[in-house]
Amino acid sequence: MIPSHAPPHTIHELLKATSSLFTNKNVKEEFEQRIKEYLQTDRYLTTSSGRRSLYIALKSLKIGKGDEVILPAFTTDIVPMVVRETGAMPIPADAQLEDYNIDPNSVLDRISDKTKAILTVHTIGCPSDLKALKDICDDHNIFLIEDAASAFGAKYNNKPVGTYGDFGIISFGIGKSISMGDGGGLIVLDDELFKRIKDTTLKEYKNSGKVFLKIFGSIMLSNPQLYGIVGCRTKDMIVSHQYDNYTEEIIDDQDISLLSYAIGIQEMKSEIFERRRKIALGYTEILKKFDDVYPPMEKKIAMRFIRDIL
Ligand SMILES: Cc1ncc(COP(=O)(O)O)c(C=O)c1O
């Protein structure tokens, strides 16, 4: 089992990543190279968070006041909040039981002359119906944004999610499939747009010490013995304050810490996607035996969804 709201690391792995900083002076370059190889694209850049990536994508497409963005009704609240931050109106479409993702038929019902984009979220590791959504976008001349914040490592037609739309969003926050304590990623389809965005993002590195403490703390608190005593209360406290610095976070253009990059390299080298997928398959086998329980079906499974359902 990979614990919820904790990075999938041990203290030993955290220390190993920390010590690698003494010998590897190019952690950012190495991490990004590994991501690009995995995604099979050069048009990738790292951002301070998944919400920041989403905000950059919407602003780059000049989406704002008077525009509408169709998104799934079943998703994390941060997604419509970022859309509202641009001035545009989030328009919820129904989710489908098959994979918990946006239903293309419901999307069709929501399209108006104000619709600028479909923002599909690959829910907890399950790719959405990208073919149907892309066809709708092409027919109506609107943009497709893929929020793969909680599905990095999932594939659709053997190609990583996030690489189909005009923009793909990734998150590397604690509890995500690649969990680096901090950070996000952005995949850009258009070459010119990519060059423009790349030149305007990310200033100096964040403090590695703070990330060390954050990850160390979450490893300790997700320990089963400690979780019952203090972990669950701390988690409630963190969740209740998670939007306190929300606006600053989406405009934050500071680079993530070198330690986050070092942890990212370690995770990309590991079998983390495969491990998550195996765990998901195991849970699915158990859950599908119950009436009225509908785990996302096997062909769509990628990795991390199970922990969110339970
Ligand atoms: C679907 C989805 N989109 C966006 C985000 C935002 O990512 P971050 O927390 O890195 O800003 C999250 C985070 O939980 C998410 O689950």
Side-chain angles (χ1 to χ4, degrees):
M1 169 135 169
I2 296 174
S4 167
H5 285 90
H9 319 292
T10 58
I11 299 281
H12 175 73
E13 284 161 342
L14 177 61
L15 293 176
K16 203 166 129 203
T18 309
S19 62
S20 76
L21 291 176
F22 293 104
T23 49
N24 187 350
K25 297 292 166 215
N26 298 315
V27 279
K28 178 179 169 89
E29 292 73 14
E30 185 181 336
F31 171 75
E32 293 191 335
Q33 191 49 37
R34 284 180 185 274
I35 294 277
K36 286 176 191 171
E37 274 164 24
Y38 173 77
L39 293 170
Q40 293 288 302
T41 177
D42 276 339
R43 293 183 309 277
Y44 161 85
L45 54 94
T46 306
T47 69
S48 58
S49 66
R51 62 200 74 182
R52 170 79 180 144
S53 299
L54 181 52
Y55 186 72
I56 295 174
L58 294 162
K59 293 299 272 184
S60 309
L61 296 173
K62 301 196 175 4
I63 291 176
K65 201 162 183 286
D67 298 327
E68 292 180 352
V69 176
I70 301 177
L71 42 73
F74 175 59
T75 189
T76 173
D77 41 11
I78 201 80
V79 176
M81 281 168 80
V82 177
V83 174
R84 280 306 290 143
E85 196 70 21
T86 66
M89 185 58 75
I91 305 292
D94 291 335
Q96 51 190 12
L97 202 52
E98 176 195 339
D99 55 12
Y100 301 1
N101 286 320
I102 199 165
D103 178 350
N105 291 318
S106 178
V107 169
L108 277 173
D109 290 342
R110 305 288 187 280
I111 287 186
S112 76
D113 52 8
K114 292 183 184 164
T115 308
K116 267 287 189 75
I118 298 173
L119 167 51
T120 185
V121 177
H122 303 298
T123 307
I124 45 179
C126 305
S128 354
D129 189 345
L130 283 167
K131 161 128 188 31
L133 296 171
K134 208 157 174 13
D135 286 350
I136 297 173
C137 288
D138 291 345
D139 289 350
H140 292 83
N141 204 16
I142 53 181
F143 298 110
L144 178 63
I145 303 173
E146 288 178 75
D147 184 335
S150 64
F152 183 50
K155 289 187 175 170
Y156 179 87
N157 260 348
N158 253 341
K159 200 168 147 250
V161 293
T163 57
Y164 283 85
D166 295 284
F167 280 95
I169 314 298
I170 308 172
S171 167
F172 301 121
I174 283 185
K176 298 299 193 306
S177 48
I178 291 286
S179 186
M180 297 160 29
D182 248 342
L186 188 61
I187 304 145
V188 189
L189 191 65
D190 182 81
D191 222 18
E192 283 308 307
L193 210 48
F194 173 70
K195 282 184 196 137
R196 224 178 311 143
I197 297 168
K198 197 164 172 30
D199 289 343
T200 59
T201 47
L202 295 183
K203 307 289 179 320
E204 74 280 8
Y205 293 113
K206 282 187 183 148
N207 185 313
S208 286
K210 280 192 186 157
V211 173
F212 183 94
L213 290 176
K214 188 170 167 184
I215 296 180
F216 182 79
S218 42
I219 294 172
M220 294 311 283
L221 292 174
S222 62
N223 168 297
Q225 275 84 34
L226 284 177
Y227 187 79
I229 306 167
V230 283
C232 54
R233 288 179 189 85
T234 313
K235 183 179 147 189
D236 288 348
M237 208 176 72
I238 292 169
V239 169
S240 66
H241 289 287
Q242 66 180 332
Y243 299 128
D244 286 1
N245 301 320
Y246 160 74
T247 309
E248 291 97 275
E249 279 166 8
I250 65 167
I251 57 168
D252 176 8
D253 63 357
Q254 220 188 325
D255 204 343
I256 58 174
S257 72
L258 291 170
L259 178 58
S260 294
Y261 283 118
I263 291 170
I265 294 172
Q266 216 167 262
E267 288 205 35
M268 286 302 284
K269 279 189 198 164
S270 73
E271 306 278 292
I272 187 76
F273 296 148
E274 199 42 42
R275 204 174 132 211
R276 289 183 185 278
R277 187 169 171 279
K278 273 195 193 133
I279 293 172
L281 285 170
Y283 275 113
T284 306
E285 280 309 303
I286 299 167
L287 289 172
K288 73 183 186 194
K289 294 183 188 137
F290 294 91
D291 292 340
D292 300 329
V293 177
Y294 302 94
M297 290 328 288
E298 200 170 305
K299 65 184 163 73
K300 305 255 183 178
I301 288 172
M303 61 301 136
R304 105 170 238 280
F305 69 91
I306 280 302
R307 53 145 261 204
D308 281 14
I309 292 171
L310 292 180

